[in-house]
Amino acid sequence: MLSSIRSIRRLIMIAITFARHGALAPFEKAMMGAGLAPVVLAVIQLLFGRQVGDKRPGERLALALSELGPAFIKLGQVLSTRSDLFGEQVAEDLAKLQDQLPSFSAFQARATIEKELGAPIEELFAQFDDEPISAASISQVHYAITRPDKDWPEGRPVAVKVLRPGIEEALKADIELLLWMAYLIERTQPRLRRLKPVEVVQTFSATVSVEMDLRLEAASAAELRQNFGGDPTYRVPDTDWRRTAKRVMTQERLTGIPMDDRMGMLAAGLDIDDVLAKAAAAFFNQAFRDGYFHGDQHPGNMTVGYDGAIQVVDFGIMGRLTKRTRYFLADMLLAFLQRDYAKVAQVYVDAGYLPGVRTVEDFTLALRSVGEPIHGRPLQHISFARVLGQLFSIAESFDMEVQPELLLLQKNMLMAEGVSRRLNPNLNIWTLAQPLIEQWMRDNRGPEARVAQATEEALFIVRRFPSVMRNMDRLLHHLAEGGLKLDPEALQVINRQGSNWWLWLIIAVLVAGLLFSGSEQNIYVLPDVPADIPLDRGETVP
């Protein structure tokens, strides 16, 4: 009871903030669901509501979330990836949320570093700048120079990321409130269940939990850096693990030109189109070659080195695509660009995404409504990110589940296209990656690749046969011990088959053996597009 009272009181204060920014509408249903009379909302609007001019709903929402602090800023950034729930315009407005907050004191930063790393600042760094270079919603960053060692005789310039004091407790309280609101909405507002408020908050909570442990963020950076090892066009900072802990992360300092600073690049003598080509290649390699991509590649997290290399920081949000998902996405987009909408629909069907209650013909018609308007238009006037977003919207309208990773990928495509158009409005960034795309398609989706993959899968099944036989032996032993009871209807079928009962038993044992062996490795055989895909060990199909 006390918890509910505290939540309602906090909810009213949040509603007041939303009213000041003319963004109260999303809260009306939640407040009423909490048992608050409409008159309460009317009073809040009357006392605190303001004229919002010509600001869009998404812009007003972003301003309100910014004022509410770190948890709500991060929530807005997560919501910006869900254009399927809130529409492209609102998602785009939320993507502009800036988490530049007042910094906390250097005394607190030093105290956190010394406690986490177990040594005085003077022993860890030859120089430590008390003035932070940036202050975000969850952490802030200080420049420093490490103590000289054999690898860096003069000391190494680094960036030290420190979590805000008390941020874990503050975020936990806000997440509990948001989860309480989400459950309340789902119970009291059936029409809003399609927005999946509980799932949204849980996704937000999972994202924040990674950012609350800087060791996990450092591990994400290390994986991305390893994927681009030996590639001079894409630079990920090296992590100083000796000076990294749960609340402190120390990484190589990268300096360069902001990704959207056209004049700065020209002044440095860089070729804009060459920079965009490197950015497009890096994006494609992350998403399709590696299946692991930086999930927040906005200009604030990206710079261009003075040698023209793309440089990234901030690895709190990362996306991962399974091999099956990458192949599905590639086949879908290829068929779409070829205007073969029936093939696109079949790709969805073969992947098991199209519910049986909807017809393929209806889905094909919906796909055509997206594809035909862009046919024949110049590439520089086509946003492939928006096309992908429309495809996801259509899928959602046909009751298909769209993977959050694909939505995160689409958000990053939107960001990349926006930066590209600011740097060179006459160029479509994705045409620059065309040679890579064509080679990847030949290597992974061409006839020879399909034969090779089918062969590899057959060999995999052969290699797995001994484990299947072991599981069959376990199952037969289990039967002999009386530990497995057959369904009465199954026994009736066996009796009707007469002398062939043993054949049915063998079939049942084989199937069960395959199922039991699934704990070691699953085989997924889907027709056409994903059928010949040997999945990596440990991958699962959603």
Side-chain angles (χ1 to χ4, degrees):
M1 181 65 179
L2 288 175
S3 175
S4 294
I5 292 175
R6 284 196 300 268
S7 296
I8 291 173
R9 184 174 60 190
R10 172 76 168 132
L11 191 60
I12 290 174
M13 298 306 297
I14 293 171
I16 289 173
T17 301
F18 274 67
R20 285 203 299 268
H21 293 281
L24 190 58
F27 260 70
E28 291 177 354
K29 293 181 174 64
M31 297 281 282
M32 292 178 184
L36 299 178
V39 67
V40 175
L41 295 174
V43 170
I44 290 175
Q45 182 63 40
L46 179 64
L47 294 178
F48 302 99
R50 294 179 182 174
Q51 295 293 326
V52 294
D54 57 353
K55 286 187 174 62
R56 295 188 297 271
E59 292 175 320
R60 301 198 297 269
L61 182 58
L63 288 171
L65 293 172
S66 294
E67 184 176 327
L68 287 168
F72 290 88
I73 291 172
K74 299 305 297 184
L75 175 63
Q77 292 170 345
V78 171
L79 294 180
S80 72
T81 69
R82 301 304 304 268
S83 59
D84 60 320
L85 300 181
F86 304 99
E88 286 192 20
Q89 187 60 68
V90 171
E92 189 174 336
D93 289 333
L94 290 177
K96 299 173 184 175
L97 266 174
Q98 298 296 312
D99 54 358
Q100 297 173 349
L101 298 180
S103 61
F104 53 91
S105 71
F107 173 80
Q108 291 174 305
R110 285 171 171 263
T112 298
I113 294 170
E114 292 181 344
K115 180 180 179 181
E116 288 290 307
L117 301 182
I121 288 286
E122 292 73 19
E123 291 183 12
L124 297 166
F125 304 103
Q127 177 183 325
F128 183 86
D129 295 348
D130 284 338
E131 188 68 25
I133 190 65
S134 66
S137 56
I138 286 179
S139 60
Q140 67 185 33
V141 177
H142 294 258
Y143 280 167
I145 297 177
T146 63
R147 282 285 180 189
D149 55 34
K150 61 183 180 64
D151 295 321
W152 295 87
E154 297 180 359
R156 187 183 195 184
V158 293
V160 185
K161 189 172 188 177
V162 188
L163 290 186
R164 285 183 173 274
I167 189 65
E168 295 94 338
E169 294 76 13
L171 282 170
K172 181 181 178 181
D174 283 337
I175 288 172
E176 286 178 354
L177 172 65
L178 292 169
L179 198 57
W180 176 80
M181 289 169 53
Y183 278 117
L184 198 63
I185 291 171
E186 288 204 352
R187 285 199 305 267
T188 61
Q189 302 294 331
R191 292 183 297 108
L192 298 182
R193 287 175 189 162
R194 68 177 184 83
L195 298 180
K196 304 176 183 176
V198 173
E199 180 185 311
V200 167
V201 175
Q202 289 172 339
T203 300
F204 166 59
S205 178
T207 300
V208 168
S209 68
V210 173
E211 297 191 68
M212 289 295 97
D213 188 339
L214 294 179
R215 294 169 300 186
L216 298 178
E217 181 176 339
S220 297
E223 181 174 353
L224 188 63
R225 179 181 170 87
Q226 181 179 346
N227 288 344
F228 281 85
D231 186 343
T233 68
Y234 192 76
R235 189 169 293 136
V236 178
D238 187 22
T239 298
D240 184 343
W241 288 100
R242 291 175 50 215
R243 297 174 178 85
T244 294
K246 184 176 182 179
R247 307 190 79 248
V248 177
M249 180 177 68
T250 304
Q251 290 186 320
E252 169 190 8
R253 188 193 308 178
L254 300 180
T255 56
I257 305 162
M259 188 66 198
D260 57 352
D261 186 357
R262 174 183 170 84
M263 298 309 297
M265 292 183 203
L266 292 175
L270 298 178
D271 184 321
I272 298 293
D273 290 355
D274 180 62
V275 169
L276 289 175
K278 291 173 181 174
F283 187 98
F284 176 83
N285 284 331
Q286 287 179 64
F288 286 90
R289 183 193 67 188
D290 307 324
Y292 189 66
F293 61 94
H294 193 299
D296 198 19
Q297 296 188 104
H298 60 74
N301 288 338
M302 298 179 70
T303 58
V304 180
Y306 295 102
D307 59 352
I310 306 300
Q311 304 178 149
V312 290
V313 296
D314 196 348
F315 308 93
I317 301 176
M318 304 294 291
R320 196 180 294 276
L321 301 176
T322 65
K323 191 175 290 185
R324 174 181 183 256
T325 301
R326 283 176 267 162
Y327 288 168
F328 159 75
L329 189 60
D331 289 340
M332 177 191 71
L333 290 175
L334 181 63
F336 186 82
L337 293 174
Q338 293 172 342
R339 301 175 70 196
D340 190 347
Y341 306 114
K343 175 65 175 176
V344 179
Q346 193 60 45
V347 169
Y348 274 90
V349 171
D350 292 343
Y353 291 161
L354 185 64
V357 296
R358 305 301 294 267
T359 68
V360 177
E361 290 75 17
D362 288 343
F363 189 50
T364 302
L365 186 64
L367 293 169
R368 188 178 296 277
S369 72
V370 175
E372 289 305 301
I374 67 171
H375 176 64
R377 293 183 61 191
L379 278 177
Q380 63 265 31
H381 296 153
I382 298 175
S383 167
F384 286 104
R386 293 193 182 280
V387 169
L388 192 59
Q390 288 177 298
L391 290 173
F392 292 158
S393 296
I394 286 177
E396 196 272 339
S397 69
F398 276 75
D399 300 322
M400 300 182 202
E401 292 288 338
V402 179
Q403 295 185 46
E405 289 81 5
L406 288 179
L407 297 168
L408 186 60
L409 182 72
Q410 188 239 350
K411 172 202 169 186
N412 276 273
M413 288 178 69
L414 276 172
M415 289 181 179
E417 288 181 345
V419 171
S420 173
R421 287 192 165 89
R422 285 198 292 274
L423 295 177
N424 185 350
N426 298 316
L427 181 69
N428 189 307
I429 188 174
W430 309 121
T431 62
L432 299 173
Q434 187 172 346
L436 284 175
I437 296 170
E438 291 174 347
Q439 185 62 48
W440 186 88
M441 292 296 291
R442 282 194 298 269
D443 292 343
N444 293 274
R445 306 311 294 145
E448 293 181 2
R450 291 176 183 270
V451 171
Q453 289 159 1
T455 303
E456 184 179 341
E457 183 175 284
L459 291 173
F460 169 72
I461 293 174
V462 171
R463 289 194 300 268
R464 205 180 117 192
F465 187 73
S467 67
V468 173
M469 295 303 296
R470 286 194 299 271
N471 284 312
M472 286 177 59
D473 184 66
R474 285 165 47 202
L475 181 61
L476 288 171
H477 178 74
H478 202 54
L479 282 170
E481 295 290 328
L484 182 65
K485 304 296 184 182
L486 291 178
D487 184 88
E489 293 185 7
L491 289 173
Q492 292 177 10
V493 171
I494 291 174
N495 289 332
R496 285 198 299 270
Q497 299 305 316
S499 60
N500 290 335
W501 67 271
W502 56 271
L503 179 61
W504 287 95
L505 181 59
I506 289 175
I507 292 173
V509 170
L510 282 171
V511 171
L514 287 168
L515 291 175
F516 274 115
S517 64
S519 61
E520 299 181 26
Q521 176 70 49
N522 290 324
I523 294 178
Y524 300 98
V525 181
L526 297 174
D528 196 17
V529 179
D532 43 13
I533 302 169
L535 296 186
D536 294 336
R537 190 172 186 83
E539 288 189 5
T540 57
V541 174

